[in-house]
Amino acid sequence: MTRSRVALFVALGIDNFGSGLFLPLTLVFVTRVVGLPLAVAGTAVTVGTVAGLATPALAGRLVDRLGARAVVIIAQLLQAGGVAAYLAADGVALVVAAAVLVACGQQAFYSALFALIADVAGDGPKDRAFTVANMVRGASFGLGALAAGGLLVWAGPVGYRVAIGVDAVSFLVAAALLAFWLPTPVRVPAEPGAPTAPRRGVLRDRPYLTLIVISTLFGLTVDFFLVGVPVYALEILGAPAWLPGAILALFTAVTSTAGTLALRATGRLSRPAAMLLARPVVVAWCAASAAAVLLPSGARPAYLLACTLLLAAANLISGGRLNALAEAAAPRHARGRYLSAFQYAFTVAGVLAPSVVALFSVAPWLPWLTVATLSVTGGLALRWVAPRLPAHALGSAVR
């Protein structure tokens, strides 16, 4: 592995370890340490997060002008400042300011990250680079979350401040690694066969906009898993309190260790074909999970853990391919703007997921049917849009 890849993956690992330490505890910190009521804390953090949604448009232009590495470093410094502001917060104003800085940094980070990974990967298919990056990020975030749990048990309330302090330092260390250890990546040229004529902006590029919508539908599956499965397990099935954590740990363990194996096993499939292969697996996960209500309560924990393997398999098949397809389909002269627009797919999916979870109040099977239907709809849309995307972007991970 080249020095550039080592530097990038180490920086991503440190960054996501720190995020795993504090991000899941944000609201708990604001209520228990800062002392705001839950309703006020939730509103303050939400206002800050919404303010950050304007960032990708600016970040994309900066990527095209300054390069992806510079924007990622700026994003990490913004997040470090935001986390430090949480540490100093003593009221609503600083909590909102902290949330704004963190949200702007996160949106800028993800708007530039895909372009930076592509730059470091160099020529040829980027599927493996995106897959390894996802593995490193997932494993590091999971380790950070585990460390946060141990820290709170060991240090008590002081552990919140320790976690947030380590998170701020992690952003600074990751930024320093990228600034001083990662050589300035060479801009990736267009792949052979890519169109050289300028294409219209992303808002007029209907095939790419369709790809963003498809990515939203696919991304909704994982976001629903993260916020919906705990509700389903605890509120609908009455499962033990430890089960949601065990399910998330299993999913993280599988997706952070088997990514390259899955890529190798399906490497000769085109990117759309691999993503379509994952659709029936998602439907099977939804159907199997919905059927858990029919089982005896004692069998449900093991059964839901087994169901999780289905979603992990679908994510392994399609996760890295989706990022690689979006990167390859973006024209080189406007790649930053295109990939920053692509980031909105995951933002919208995160916003929609709680609404889908709320359907449990109507019927225990309705959210599962909704997720399965949207996944199939995304697959049908992908079949339509694939021939309309640049031909070079559809290639397999192995050439």
Side-chain angles (χ1 to χ4, degrees), residues 181 235 325 353:
W181 191 16
E235 302 298 329
L325 177 60

Side-chain angles (χ1 to χ4, degrees), residues 105-281:
Q106 285 180 332
Q107 294 292 331
F109 177 81
Y110 288 113
S111 296
L113 177 61
F114 298 144
L116 180 59
I117 294 171
D119 286 342
V120 171
D123 297 334
K126 312 296 188 297
D127 308 81
R128 181 179 175 82
F130 282 118
T131 298
V132 174
N134 288 341
M135 291 168 63
V136 170
R137 290 172 56 218
S140 300
F141 190 92
L143 288 174
L146 286 174
L151 186 62
L152 293 180
V153 170
W154 174 69
V158 177
Y160 291 108
R161 294 194 176 276
V162 174
I164 198 171
V166 173
D167 188 19
V169 171
S170 73
F171 286 124
L172 295 176
V173 172
L177 284 174
L178 294 179
F180 300 110
W181 191 16
L182 177 67
T184 303
V186 177
R187 296 292 184 91
V188 177
E191 294 187 37
T196 56
R199 290 160 62 189
R200 293 178 293 180
V202 63
L203 294 179
R204 296 184 179 181
D205 192 334
R206 291 185 178 179
Y208 202 88
L209 286 177
T210 303
L211 180 61
I212 292 174
V213 173
I214 292 168
S215 302
T216 301
L217 299 179
F218 290 174
L220 181 62
T221 300
V222 175
D223 282 312
F224 170 77
F225 165 77
L226 294 175
V227 299
V229 168
V231 174
Y232 181 64
L234 300 179
E235 302 298 329
I236 304 299
L237 300 181
W242 55 263
L243 183 58
I247 288 174
L248 180 59
L250 176 62
F251 180 82
T252 301
V254 173
T255 54
S256 61
T257 57
T260 53
L261 294 176
L263 185 66
R264 191 178 302 119
T266 59
R268 296 193 178 279
L269 293 175
S270 70
R271 287 164 181 155
M275 293 158 65
L276 288 171
L277 178 62
R279 294 313 102 203
V281 184

Side-chain angles (χ1 to χ4, degrees), residues 55-94:
T55 304
L58 174 61
R61 293 184 179 276
L62 289 177
V63 169
D64 290 331
R65 293 182 180 182
L66 305 179
R69 185 184 72 155
V71 177
V72 169
I73 292 172
I74 292 170
Q76 289 173 326
L77 295 177
L78 282 174
Q79 291 178 88
V83 172
Y86 271 121
L87 195 59
D90 57 0
V92 175
L94 272 179

Side-chain angles (χ1 to χ4, degrees), residues 247-350:
I247 288 174
L248 180 59
L250 176 62
F251 180 82
T252 301
V254 173
T255 54
S256 61
T257 57
T260 53
L261 294 176
L263 185 66
R264 191 178 302 119
T266 59
R268 296 193 178 279
L269 293 175
S270 70
R271 287 164 181 155
M275 293 158 65
L276 288 171
L277 178 62
R279 294 313 102 203
V281 184
V282 170
V283 172
W285 170 67
C286 291
S289 298
V293 296
L294 304 176
L295 297 178
S297 59
R300 289 171 181 172
Y303 178 78
L304 286 180
L305 286 168
C307 290
T308 301
L309 296 176
L310 288 172
L311 182 62
N315 192 66
L316 288 170
I317 294 169
S318 64
R321 262 50 176 271
L322 182 59
N323 295 333
L325 177 60
E327 187 277 333
R332 286 298 167 266
H333 74 283
R335 187 180 58 167
R337 280 164 282 178
Y338 269 64
L339 292 182
S340 65
F342 179 68
Q343 165 61 22
Y344 279 115
F346 305 102
T347 302
V348 173

